[in-house]
Amino acid sequence: MRGVGVRLGAAARQHGLQPGISTRGWLIYRHARRHGHAHLVLLAYISVVTGLTSAFFHASETRLGAILDFSGIYLGSAYMFAMNIRRLTRWGKGRIGAVYLLFFGVSFALLLIDPDLSRQFYALQSFACCVVLEAILFFTQKVRPDYRWFGAFWASFLLGYGLWLLDVQHLVCDPTNHWISGHALWHWLDALALYCVYRLYTQFQLLRFEDSRP
């Protein structure tokens, strides 16, 4: 058991996971509590779960670790999709909760059956959420929000993903022989991207679910 703990700590340090977990989750939680956005605290918890499951995967390199790793990612993507559906339809908590559980459930089931198919579903869901739904909202909503946080989200995500690809493909250097890797930067930038999503969502009163619709 001690060996697993040592490997978990080593993996967390190597891949930049421990700072990502604490910084991202703490910043979201702290800002939400201080500025009256307690309705978005769930994102802080999702952030911590995502970081912990990723750390476990890198430490164990097992099938179970991979399932938990992707499950954490799917918790975040399903949340973003459900919140955009809320912004578009104004459905109440019950229906939006069902949308959240449905998309996470489908992603998780596909992960158990066919991991490649689950990743394709994740990519399709992310495109529908962050491109298609956001474009519809942009042209149909009466009051347009400040999209700078949305732009910061995409900039952080794409930069991090690009650095991760450079490491995976060994296009720049061997990620095992230097003090920081593209994978570690990916975790930091992905953490920043989720924080940007949180800040974007703080603008929307709809996400407080203060109406009484089912």
Side-chain angles (χ1 to χ4, degrees):
M1 194 69 181
R2 181 178 180 276
V4 174
V6 171
R7 291 197 302 274
L8 183 62
R13 289 188 295 271
Q14 178 183 354
H15 296 285
L17 299 177
Q18 289 174 336
I21 294 170
S22 59
T23 303
R24 174 174 61 180
W26 178 77
L27 282 176
I28 294 175
Y29 184 87
R30 179 174 177 270
H31 190 278
R33 289 299 184 185
R34 286 193 172 187
H35 297 275
H37 301 298
H39 59 291
L40 297 174
V41 164
L42 180 58
L43 263 181
Y45 300 141
I46 289 175
S47 172
V48 172
V49 169
T50 303
L52 290 174
T53 55
S54 184
F56 177 76
F57 169 61
H58 287 298
S60 66
E61 296 184 352
T62 60
R63 168 69 173 154
L64 175 61
I67 290 173
L68 292 175
D69 184 27
F70 278 100
S71 296
I73 295 171
Y74 295 159
L75 284 172
S77 63
Y79 180 89
M80 292 170 63
F81 188 87
M83 292 304 99
N84 275 1
I85 291 293
R86 162 64 176 175
R87 291 167 58 199
L88 183 65
T89 64
R90 297 176 179 263
W91 287 348
K93 279 187 177 181
R95 289 182 179 180
I96 295 302
V99 169
Y100 178 75
L101 293 175
L102 173 64
F103 276 84
F104 174 74
V106 170
S107 299
F108 185 76
L110 290 176
L111 181 61
L112 298 177
I113 299 169
D114 187 338
D116 289 336
L117 187 58
S118 76
R119 286 190 285 270
Q120 293 172 17
F121 180 76
Y122 166 72
L124 180 62
Q125 176 189 320
S126 298
F127 179 80
C129 172
C130 299
V131 178
V132 177
L133 285 179
E134 203 61 58
I136 294 173
L137 287 163
F138 180 82
F139 288 109
T140 59
Q141 58 196 350
K142 295 180 180 179
V143 179
R144 291 181 180 174
D146 185 346
Y147 273 100
R148 285 178 293 183
W149 285 110
F150 185 67
F153 157 76
W154 273 111
S156 301
F157 177 81
L158 292 176
L159 178 59
Y161 187 67
L163 291 170
W164 176 75
L165 285 177
L166 291 177
D167 256 13
V168 170
Q169 301 297 327
H170 293 185
L171 296 177
V172 176
C173 53
D174 184 350
T176 63
N177 65 5
H178 50 277
W179 70 276
I180 191 167
S181 67
H183 194 109
L185 291 172
W186 153 251
H187 280 290
W188 274 97
L189 290 166
D190 192 42
L192 177 60
L194 189 61
Y195 179 75
C196 292
V197 168
Y198 160 75
R199 291 301 298 267
L200 172 70
Y201 286 167
T202 60
Q203 302 176 77
F204 305 116
Q205 288 293 117
L206 272 173
L207 301 187
R208 294 180 179 275
F209 289 93
E210 293 176 335
D211 53 65
S212 58
R213 295 181 62 182

